[in-house]
């Protein structure tokens, strides 16, 4: 018996051990599960957050690219949506109700005709594309350039036809509403595919050079839920739209310039042409264009001339540079207009400098006549009188061969040959040295602006549309003082002979009733085998730099016509027509001419954003929009404005501009209640209103400083008397 019971005892012991072990395992697991359930942590990983990731939805909010405006808010480039048209040919494409969502066989002609009626082009071309798609078993076909970049109007027209099988792919695009209008300056964009989706980026002009400021940052809206579908956390990243760029362009003047330059281009068909107008008091470029140009919205003309002639191409300017040589000679006391020299040909070593009339010259003449007749010999002798090092010093002081730092990323700097005496002499009349028109405008600004050389300015201000604040507003910048005030005046006076002397070559550029000064130029084209032959107008660069009024120039204009291929006898006439028409309009402009177009029905205008801007410039901008600025205080920048930028207001409305410093009580006589309340809100002062109508009396005298302890003001209103 005892021997038989031994195995049972062992079995019971083994069972107890296994039971104990199982219980220990269960306890350990229970403790572990309880820990995880409470802490939701496994080896440093939070299970609740991991679960939320599974049930997280994330939506990207597309940022809007900043817009480009003229000086007062007329749009030059804006964001838009365009559509690409396609025809579905796959017969398996049907709606949930079994209706065809494809172009049926036999409908090709009818569908093509409907497409052509809306987007233009030939119906047969579209029909051919559809049939070719069927033949090649394509699921769908597109219609090339004609079916791409369709605007909203055409998209809606096509959608309204309810043609089964026509589909549209939307994409963000750039709209240039004015057609061919400062196109090379404004620039172009392209669509890039990136990890963030399609991104518009600039490839030329302002679109390229200010791409960083124009590009916004996409927002993200994230919502997380737990396993019971309850929202447990939300994390949003706000979208930040790109900055808006306001240029210095005056739309009215630009429109005139575009038309005038197109007339010139149509007549002479130059290989390239350029015109630019500068405000000589500020350095602002108020109008500029080139030919060939393009319509950025339609694509017409794109590729005919990619380089921006204003700042991207340096060339030998020819005789226009003689104005700079003259200024340097006068300033260095090396000019006597009554002194004489032998014109025609000047030998320098084994080389020759010849005057433009085949080296014949005009005999022994004065230097004054030499500058009027654009004598190369006169300028070469003047350079020798100054000395090469003095002349080079002035070229450096005028900032040639350097970037103007006007903001363009691809600005050319130019170059010069100055090693040998013949090269040094050549630079004095615009050969052996290459410059950009922007450098030339900067250099001549010293002559126009009494010795102060101004940096060319193309950006009026940069505005953050997310906060309605001005983030940047360039001021007029003097980059050099190469000559004295008296030298600048003497140079302008001497250059008047180019127009008004009987020997002058610029008679055509005289502006009626306005004394004008300037310098013409003709440069032979440099090639690998030497310069083109003198007198071959089709291979020369013709130019004019003009300033008016001569005694105190308000505007300056540079026109360049490169290698005209037709009607070269009209060079002076065509170029002077552009100059006189545009300059006359510029000189006749007042601040109110630089305004946004006003609706004749409701007389509403857009209020510009000036918060953060310079007080003086902001006041001008408000006035130019036909509104009435009321500056509060004497601070240098605007801290707040009574009507937010971008909103509409009636013409003449008072816009209060708070500078936040030394605010005084204004004379409120005649003000409406809305004006008083708007001023009081910005001034942070309590106002007591009595009566109705318009202000007749106020408890605090005008010009009283709020800092003197005024915290409250009582204003009495009365209705105006009416006569029976």
């Amino acid at each position: 018996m005892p021997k038989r019971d031994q195995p049972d005892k062992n079995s019971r012991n083994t069972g107890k051990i296994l039971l104990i072990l199982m219980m220990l395992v269960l306890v350990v697991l229970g403790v572990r599960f309880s820990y995880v359930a409470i802490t939701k942590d496994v080896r440093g990983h939070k299970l609740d957050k991991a679960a939320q990731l599974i049930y997280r939805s994330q939506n990207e909010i597309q940022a809007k690219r900043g817009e480009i405006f003229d000086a007062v808010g007329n749009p030059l480039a804006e964001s838009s949506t365009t559509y690409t048209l396609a025809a579905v040919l796959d017969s398996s494409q049907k709606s949930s109700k079994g209706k065809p969502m494809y172009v049926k066989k036999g409908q090709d002609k009818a569908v093509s005709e409907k497409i052509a009626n809306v987007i233009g082009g030939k119906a047969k071309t579209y029909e051919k594309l559809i049939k070719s798609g069927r033949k090649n078993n394509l699921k769908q076909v597109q219609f090339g350039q004609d079916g791409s970049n369709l605007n909203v109007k055409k998209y809606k027209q096509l959608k309204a036809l309810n043609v089964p099988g026509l589909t549209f792919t939307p994409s963000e695009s750039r709209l240039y509403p004015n057609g061919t209008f400062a196109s090379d300056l404004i620039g172009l964009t392209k669509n890039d595919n990136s990890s963030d989706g399609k991104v518009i980026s600039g490839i030329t002009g302002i679109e390229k050079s200010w791409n960083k400021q124009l590009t916004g940052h996409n927002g993200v809206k994230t919502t997380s839920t737990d396993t019971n579908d309850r929202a447990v956390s939300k994390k949003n990243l706000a979208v930040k739209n790109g900055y808006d760029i306001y240029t210095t362009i005056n739309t009215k003047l630009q429109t005139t310039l575009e038309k005038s330059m197109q007339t010139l281009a149509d007549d002479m068909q130059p290989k390239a042409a350029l015109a630019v107008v500068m405000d000589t008091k500020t350095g602002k470029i108020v109008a500029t264009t080139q030919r060939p140009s393009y319509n950025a919205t339609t694509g017409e003309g794109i590729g005919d001339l990619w380089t921006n002639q204003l700042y991207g191409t340096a060339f030998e300017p020819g005789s226009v540079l003689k104005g700079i040589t003259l200024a340097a000679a006068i300033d260095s006391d090396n000019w006597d207009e009554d002194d004489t020299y032998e014109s025609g040909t000047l030998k320098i070593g084994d080389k020759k400098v010849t005057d433009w009339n085949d080296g014949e010259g005009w005999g022994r003449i004065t230097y004054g006549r030499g500058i009027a007749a654009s004598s190369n010999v006169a300028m070469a002798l003047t350079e020798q009188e100054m000395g090469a090092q003095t002349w080079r010093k002035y070229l450096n002081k005028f900032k040639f061969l350097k970037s103007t730092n006007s903001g363009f990323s691809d600005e050319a700097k130019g170059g010069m040959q100055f090693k040998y005496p013949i090269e040094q002499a050549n630079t004095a009349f615009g050969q052996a040295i290459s410059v950009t028109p922007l450098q030339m405008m900067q250099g001549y600004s010293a002559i126009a602006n009494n010795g102060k050389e101004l940096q060319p300015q193309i950006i009026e201000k940069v505005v953050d549309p997310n906060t309605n604040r001005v983030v940047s507003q360039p001021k007029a910048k003097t980059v050099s003082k190469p000559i004295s005030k008296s030298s600048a005046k003497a140079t302008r006076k001497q250059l008047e002979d180019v127009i008004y002397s009987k020997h002058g070559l610029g008679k055509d550029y005289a502006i009626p009733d306005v004394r004008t000064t300037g310098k013409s130029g003709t440069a032979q084209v440099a090639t690998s085998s030497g310069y083109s032959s003198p007198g071959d107008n089709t291979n020369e660069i013709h130019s004019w730099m003009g300033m008016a009024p001569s005694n105190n120039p308000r505007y300056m204009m540079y026109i360049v016509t490169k290698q005209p291929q037709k009607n070269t006898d009209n060079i002076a006439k065509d170029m002077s027509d552009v100059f006189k028409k545009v300059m006359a309009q510029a000189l006749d402009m007042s601040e109110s001419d630089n305004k946004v177009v006003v609706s004749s029905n409701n007389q509403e205008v857009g209020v510009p954003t000036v918060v953060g801007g310079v007080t003086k410039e902001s006041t001008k901008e408000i006035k130019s929009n036909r509104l009435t600025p009321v500056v509060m205080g004497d601070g240098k920048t605007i801290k707040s404005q009574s009507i937010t930028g971008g909103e509409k207001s009636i013409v003449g409305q008072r816009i209060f501009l708070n500078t936040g410093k030394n605010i005084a009580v204004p004379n409120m006589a005649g003000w409406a209640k809305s004006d008083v309340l708007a001023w009081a809100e910005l001034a942070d002062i309590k106002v007591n209103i009595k009566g109705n109508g318009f202000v007749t009396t106020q408890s605090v005298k005008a010009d009283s400083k709020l800092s003197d302890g005024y915290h409250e003001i009582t204003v009495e209103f009365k209705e105006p008397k009416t006569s029976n």
Side-chain angles (χ1 to χ4, degrees):
M1 283 295 292
K3 291 182 178 179
R4 190 180 62 182
D5 292 338
Q6 189 65 35
D8 293 336
K9 186 179 181 179
N10 292 338
S11 297
R12 287 195 296 270
N13 291 336
T14 301
K16 289 178 180 179
I17 293 171
L18 290 173
L19 181 60
I20 292 170
L21 290 174
M22 289 177 63
M23 290 180 69
L24 286 173
V25 171
L26 289 173
V27 170
V28 171
L29 290 174
V31 172
R32 180 59 175 162
F33 285 143
S34 298
Y35 174 80
V36 172
I38 294 170
T39 64
K40 297 181 175 61
D41 182 277
V42 177
R43 294 182 179 178
H45 298 282
K46 293 292 185 181
L47 296 182
D48 56 344
K49 292 187 177 180
Q52 290 169 27
L53 287 173
I54 297 174
Y55 296 97
R56 173 175 292 174
S57 64
Q58 190 174 78
N59 297 315
E60 186 174 61
I61 305 171
Q62 196 74 24
K64 180 183 176 184
R65 184 173 178 83
E67 299 187 342
I68 302 175
F69 300 96
D70 71 356
V72 294
N74 291 307
L76 304 180
E78 52 192 354
S79 294
S80 182
T81 300
T82 58
Y83 300 85
T84 299
L85 171 66
V88 176
L89 306 179
D90 184 2
S91 59
S92 67
Q93 299 298 311
K94 297 181 180 180
S95 69
S96 58
K97 295 182 180 181
K99 292 184 178 181
M101 296 180 67
Y102 59 92
V103 177
K104 293 181 178 180
K105 289 183 179 180
Q107 293 183 328
D108 297 355
K109 183 177 181 180
V111 170
S112 297
E113 287 176 348
K114 290 181 178 181
I115 293 173
N117 287 336
V118 175
I119 69 174
K122 296 181 179 179
K124 288 184 178 180
T125 301
Y126 304 132
E127 184 181 1
K128 184 178 179 181
L129 287 170
I130 293 174
K131 289 184 174 180
S132 177
R134 293 190 191 281
K135 183 178 179 181
N136 292 285
N137 296 318
L138 298 180
K139 300 292 184 181
Q140 68 176 34
V141 294
Q142 294 183 357
F143 300 99
Q145 186 174 346
D146 289 335
S148 302
N149 296 318
L150 301 179
N151 59 32
V152 174
K153 181 180 179 181
K154 290 183 177 180
Y155 161 72
K156 288 183 176 180
Q157 288 175 335
L158 286 168
K159 285 284 287 185
L161 297 175
N162 292 317
V163 177
L166 291 188
T167 65
F168 305 87
T169 303
S171 60
E172 187 182 3
S173 66
R174 206 66 166 152
L175 177 65
Y176 302 88
N178 301 303
T180 304
F181 190 89
S183 302
D184 300 273
L185 179 72
I186 303 306
L188 292 168
T189 60
K190 65 176 181 177
N191 285 335
D192 292 326
N193 291 319
S194 68
S195 58
D196 297 327
K198 287 188 176 180
V199 177
I200 292 181
S201 61
I203 55 175
T204 62
I206 291 173
E207 294 275 26
K208 175 184 177 181
S209 295
W210 278 266
N211 186 64
K212 183 177 180 181
Q213 292 90 332
L214 288 164
T215 302
H217 299 285
N218 293 343
V220 176
K221 183 177 182 180
T222 304
T223 302
S224 301
T225 59
D226 61 16
T227 53
N228 294 319
D229 203 28
R230 294 175 300 185
V232 294
S233 70
K234 291 182 179 180
K235 182 180 180 182
N236 297 329
L237 178 64
V239 65
K240 186 176 182 181
N241 294 323
Y243 289 163
D244 292 332
I245 305 290
Y246 287 73
T247 69
T248 55
I249 294 298
N250 178 295
T251 289
K252 286 189 172 183
L253 203 62
Q254 182 70 31
T255 300
T256 301
L257 182 62
E258 294 286 357
K259 292 179 180 178
S260 299
M261 284 297 286
Q262 190 58 51
T263 299
L264 179 151
D266 289 342
D267 185 46
M268 293 194 290
Q269 295 183 11
K271 290 188 176 181
L274 162 92
V276 53
V277 185
M278 176 189 277
D279 182 331
T280 62
K281 305 304 180 185
T282 63
K284 293 178 180 179
I285 302 298
V286 293
T288 182
T289 192
Q290 70 179 53
R291 292 295 182 274
S293 189
Y294 55 82
N295 185 316
T297 298
T298 65
E300 182 182 358
I302 292 177
D304 291 346
L305 183 63
W306 272 107
T307 306
N308 190 305
Q309 299 290 298
L310 178 64
Y311 60 83
T313 298
F315 55 90
E316 293 187 355
S319 296
V320 166
L321 197 70
K322 291 174 182 175
I324 301 295
T325 310
L326 173 66
I330 291 174
D331 196 68
S332 62
D333 198 23
N334 286 291
W335 179 261
D336 182 351
E337 64 173 315
D338 296 322
D339 198 4
T340 61
Y341 72 99
E342 190 65 35
S343 64
T345 302
L346 173 67
K347 288 196 68 176
I348 300 178
D350 59 349
K351 305 291 183 180
K352 291 181 181 179
V353 171
T354 59
D355 282 325
W356 55 266
N357 57 354
D358 293 327
E360 292 184 7
W362 307 270
R364 193 163 191 87
I365 60 174
T366 65
Y367 279 88
R369 179 179 173 181
I371 192 69
S374 198
S375 167
N376 293 340
V377 172
M379 293 298 100
L381 288 169
T382 299
E383 182 273 326
Q384 290 181 341
E385 183 70 21
M386 282 191 288
Q389 295 311 309
T390 297
W391 169 227
R392 181 158 195 165
K393 180 184 72 172
Y394 275 96
L395 286 172
N396 291 335
K397 289 173 70 175
F398 275 102
K399 299 293 183 180
F400 288 110
L401 311 178
K402 296 178 181 178
S403 170
T404 65
N405 295 316
S406 300
F408 296 101
S409 57
D410 49 352
E411 183 177 346
K413 295 181 180 179
M416 182 172 67
Q417 296 170 303
F418 204 78
K419 183 176 181 180
Y420 301 106
I422 186 62
E423 295 172 340
Q424 297 158 2
N426 285 342
T427 59
F429 51 87
Q431 290 185 358
I433 182 172
S434 60
V435 302
T436 68
L438 208 57
Q439 288 173 333
M440 190 65 82
M441 294 297 283
Q442 179 175 270
Y444 258 90
S445 71
I447 297 173
N449 196 39
N450 291 331
K452 295 180 180 179
E453 185 168 322
L454 296 172
Q455 182 183 61
Q457 182 182 328
I458 196 63
I459 302 301
E460 181 72 33
K461 62 179 178 179
V462 179
V463 173
D464 182 353
N466 306 285
T467 61
N468 282 319
R469 292 185 66 86
V470 177
V471 297
S472 174
Q473 189 170 30
K475 298 179 181 179
K477 183 178 180 181
T478 300
V479 295
S480 181
K481 295 180 180 179
I483 55 177
S484 67
K485 181 178 180 179
S486 60
S487 296
K489 287 184 175 181
T491 302
R492 296 197 303 269
K493 186 65 177 176
Q494 184 71 72
L495 289 177
E496 287 182 17
D497 286 352
V498 175
I499 298 175
Y500 301 106
S501 165
K502 65 179 181 179
H503 306 293
L505 301 181
K507 295 181 176 63
D508 291 329
Y509 293 93
I511 300 175
D513 302 320
V514 179
R515 191 74 174 176
T516 309
T517 187
K519 185 68 188 78
S520 59
T522 302
Q524 297 160 257
V525 177
T527 67
S528 57
S529 58
Y531 288 96
S532 57
S533 301
D536 179 8
N537 289 334
T538 62
N539 280 308
E540 291 176 331
I541 298 174
H542 308 272
S543 56
W544 170 258
M545 177 72 80
M547 298 164 279
S550 178
N551 65 328
N552 184 22
R554 184 69 181 84
Y555 291 99
M556 179 171 64
M557 185 173 183
Y558 188 32
I559 308 174
V560 181
T561 303
K562 297 182 179 180
Q563 297 172 274
Q565 298 302 296
K566 291 184 66 177
N567 299 325
T568 56
D569 290 341
N570 294 342
I571 291 172
K573 178 184 179 302
D574 286 358
M575 289 178 60
S576 63
D577 283 350
V578 175
F579 175 77
K580 289 185 290 187
K581 188 171 186 177
V582 175
M583 284 289 281
Q585 181 178 333
L587 292 168
D588 196 43
M589 287 193 310
S590 64
E591 284 188 355
S592 62
D593 286 316
N594 191 19
K595 61 180 179 293
V596 179
V597 177
V598 182
S599 166
S600 58
N601 295 324
N602 55 26
Q603 290 290 296
E604 282 191 341
V605 293
V607 178
T609 297
V610 296
V611 174
V614 178
T615 300
K616 184 178 179 181
E617 295 299 321
S618 299
T619 303
K620 288 182 180 179
E621 187 171 0
I622 294 294
K623 285 182 179 178
S624 69
N625 280 267
R626 297 181 69 182
L627 298 165
T628 304
V630 179
V631 178
M632 300 169 59
D634 56 10
K636 294 183 178 180
T637 59
I638 304 301
K639 304 300 181 184
S640 57
Q641 60 188 91
S642 57
I643 299 180
T644 303
E647 294 185 4
K648 295 289 185 179
S649 181
I650 60 172
V651 170
Q653 174 70 49
R654 290 186 181 90
I655 306 296
F656 296 96
L657 307 178
N658 180 18
T659 69
K661 186 178 180 181
N662 296 325
I663 297 175
V665 175
N667 183 347
M668 299 180 182
W671 284 18
K673 281 185 181 180
S674 58
D675 290 333
V676 174
L677 293 172
W679 176 85
E681 182 179 357
L682 290 185
D684 193 22
I685 186 174
K686 181 181 178 181
V687 60
N688 300 311
I689 301 293
K690 291 184 177 181
N692 295 301
F694 299 93
V695 175
T696 55
T697 60
Q698 58 190 80
S699 62
V700 180
K701 291 183 179 180
D703 298 326
S704 299
K705 295 289 180 66
L706 297 185
S707 57
D708 290 339
Y710 294 102
H711 304 290
E712 187 174 347
I713 183 172
T714 299
V715 182
E716 186 174 353
F717 294 80
K718 287 186 179 180
E719 294 285 359
K721 293 182 180 180
T722 57
S723 56
N724 295 328

